[in-house]
Amino acid sequence: MDAGELDWKRTLREQWAVHWRHQLRARLEGLTDDEYFCSPVQDAWSVRPHGRSKAPVQFGAGDFTIDLAFPQPVQATFATIARRLGHVIVGVLVAPYAAQMGAPAASYETWEYAASAATALYPLETQLDVWLARVRGLGGTGLRVPIGEKEPFPEALMADLVLHIHRELIHHLSGVCLLRDLYLHTSPATNGAAR
């Protein structure tokens, strides 16, 4: 590669990897179950034991389900950290790359949702590692391939999908960080305590 040629594969991979390493990962350290399930508003969507949800749709293969609705409500429903992490793991990471990159199929229906903060962070990190490995394996040519009929915009390139996934990751995980800040400043048990 000459000095004037941009290495898109590296650039796209580093876009997410640097953000994760330097801004997000440390913010998730010490996530407690109270924070994970905290609902600062009534009827927030979450991850709940089977049979305890009032959401229009509840999916999950294990002991817990994730709250959903199809179609999505016009006004977004507030979501707990548990729900946001479940969405990031399944809806942002696992399902899209399963369809596009040959990973084992997974969906909201078949996923086993985490019953605690600690057990949610492991699959998040695992799936992020898998995602970055798949992006690394695309190569310059792979980034230029149209994503095809499996997506709403079949003419878009794989690079477009990578950028979209990264935007989704940054958006949703920044929301998790904001909820942690809100919890820290409003919960009587932690008010004023340093993390």
Side-chain angles (χ1 to χ4, degrees), residues 103-175:
S107 66
Y108 285 114
E109 295 95 327
T110 62
W111 195 258
E112 292 192 26
Y113 295 95
S116 69
T119 56
L121 294 179
Y122 175 75
L124 174 64
E125 290 191 87
T126 300
Q127 295 306 322
L128 286 169
D129 288 345
V130 170
W131 169 252
L132 286 176
R134 294 202 182 276
V135 171
R136 192 177 301 113
L138 283 172
T141 304
L143 290 170
R144 293 184 190 94
V145 172
I147 56 179
E149 299 301 321
K150 295 177 183 175
E151 296 293 330
F153 304 100
E155 70 284 351
L157 302 180
M158 187 61 74
D160 294 316
L161 179 64
V162 172
L163 286 168
H164 173 68
I165 299 280
H166 291 177
R167 281 191 304 267
E168 286 286 293
L169 290 170
I170 292 166
H171 163 73
H172 289 295
L173 293 174
S174 295

